[in-house]
């Protein structure tokens, strides 16, 4: 089955710790994205990548980092610099910028 | 001013009702208009995609765009309990950065 796989489904972070969220796609899409969703809020773009080895900051990139070494993978690291990391994180990919295919999300919480 | 405004609801309707969901946008550069459906704790899925003003129909769903008034609508006919979800409108100007509304939570009561 083609799709986007995010893992883990739930993740807990201790203060001062970096954590990495995984995102893998087998849709052969060039573009991949990371969004953050807070309760009652719309999706906010953290980072996006149009092609391998290239990525751009979105609206709320501070405290996050990404890499795009393979077409299929776009991991997101939430660093200790992100002081309010509790949120639902969504990874997406697309062949056309307006038609996003989303994963099932990772809920990150702070211990 | 947020570029896409959407009433968060919640909206509760009886099964079989016609549902109207609405958004307004402020950026005249927006050319693409989308509706995504998101079930609780799941990723959104693309429901409707339109490029120009006018109506687009897909089964029980109709998306309507009025660029002159910067108004986006989604109509659901013969609503079903399985339509209960949060509906997100989104707009884009042809770049990789879409702007999403906050979402409207819909409940269809059997």
């Amino acid at each position: 089955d083609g799709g986007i796989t995010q893992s883990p489904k739930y993740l807990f972070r201790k203060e001062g710790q970096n954590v990495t969220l995984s995102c893998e796609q087998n849709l052969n899409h060039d573009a991949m994205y990371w969004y953050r969703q807070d309760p009652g809020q719309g999706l906010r773009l953290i980072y996006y990548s149009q092609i391998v080895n290239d990525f751009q900051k979105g609206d709320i990139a501070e405290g996050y980092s990404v890499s795009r070494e393979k077409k299929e993978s776009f991991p997101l690291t939430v660093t200790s610099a992100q002081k309010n990391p509790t949120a639902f994180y969504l990874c997406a990919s697309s062949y056309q910028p307006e038609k996003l295919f989303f994963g099932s999300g990772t809920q990150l919480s702070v211990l | 001013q947020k570029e896409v405004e959407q009433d968060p609801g919640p909206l509760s309707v009886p099964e079989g009702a016609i549902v109207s969901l609405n958004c307004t946008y402020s950026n005249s550069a927006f050319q693409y208009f989308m509706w995504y459906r998101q079930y609780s704790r799941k990723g959104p899925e693309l429901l409707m995609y339109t490029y120009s003003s006018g109506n687009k129909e897909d089964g029980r769903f109709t998306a309507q765009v009025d660029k002159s008034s910067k108004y986006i609508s989604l109509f659901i006919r013969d609503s079903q309990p399985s339509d209960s979800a949060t509906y997100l409108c989104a707009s884009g100007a042809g770049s990789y950065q879409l702007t999403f509304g906050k979402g409207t939570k819909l409940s269809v009561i059997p």
Side-chain angles (χ1 to χ4, degrees):
Chain A
D1 286 335
I4 299 178
T5 302
Q6 287 188 244
S7 63
K9 192 172 179 63
Y10 299 96
L11 186 59
F12 297 90
R13 192 191 89 167
K14 295 180 182 178
E15 194 152 343
Q17 185 182 42
N18 293 352
V19 292
T20 297
L21 285 61
S22 172
C23 178
E24 302 278 334
Q25 57 104 354
N26 60 4
L27 298 169
N28 200 33
H29 289 165
D30 286 320
M32 296 188 74
Y33 313 76
W34 275 104
Y35 284 89
R36 170 177 171 145
Q37 187 174 35
D38 294 279
Q41 300 294 318
L43 303 183
R44 292 185 290 168
L45 183 64
I46 303 173
Y47 270 98
Y48 66 99
S49 168
Q50 299 177 50
I51 56 172
V52 174
N53 292 322
D54 186 51
F55 48 83
Q56 285 78 39
K57 294 181 180 180
D59 299 321
I60 55 166
E62 187 173 349
Y64 301 97
S65 66
V66 294
S67 62
R68 187 87 187 275
E69 298 177 0
K70 299 187 301 181
K71 187 176 185 176
E72 302 78 17
S73 180
F74 192 41
L76 173 74
T77 297
V78 184
T79 74
S80 57
Q82 173 51 248
K83 297 306 179 187
N84 184 24
T86 296
F88 191 52
Y89 290 86
L90 289 159
C91 179
S93 69
S94 74
Y95 61 88
Q96 187 175 337
E98 299 78 28
K99 297 182 177 180
L100 301 178
F101 290 76
F102 285 90
S104 295
T106 293
Q107 176 64 50
L108 175 62
S109 303
V110 177
L111 287 176
Chain B
Q1 180 187 2
K2 188 165 172 54
E3 291 189 297
V4 175
E5 298 282 356
Q6 183 174 10
D7 186 340
L11 181 62
S12 184
V13 301
E15 183 176 353
I18 296 175
V19 176
S20 173
L21 303 169
N22 307 294
C23 291
T24 57
Y25 66 95
S26 57
N27 189 339
S28 298
F30 287 157
Q31 305 172 50
Y32 304 92
F33 306 94
M34 289 69 66
W35 285 95
Y36 285 84
R37 177 174 63 194
Q38 184 177 25
Y39 292 111
S40 182
R41 311 315 290 168
K42 299 291 185 184
E45 57 178 326
L46 181 63
L47 196 59
M48 298 290 284
Y49 163 83
T50 54
Y51 171 69
S52 60
S53 283
N55 293 353
K56 182 175 182 179
E57 189 173 319
D58 185 0
R60 298 184 294 110
F61 299 89
T62 299
Q64 188 174 79
V65 176
D66 183 345
K67 286 188 176 180
S68 63
S69 59
K70 296 187 176 66
Y71 205 78
I72 313 163
S73 298
L74 178 70
F75 299 97
I76 307 174
R77 292 184 299 280
D78 187 25
S79 57
Q80 302 295 311
S82 58
D83 295 327
S84 298
T86 296
Y87 290 81
L88 301 161
C89 61
S91 300
S95 72
Y96 285 83
Q97 301 197 51
L98 300 183
T99 301
F100 284 84
K102 292 184 177 182
T104 300
K105 185 172 184 179
L106 171 69
S107 295
V108 180
I109 311 302

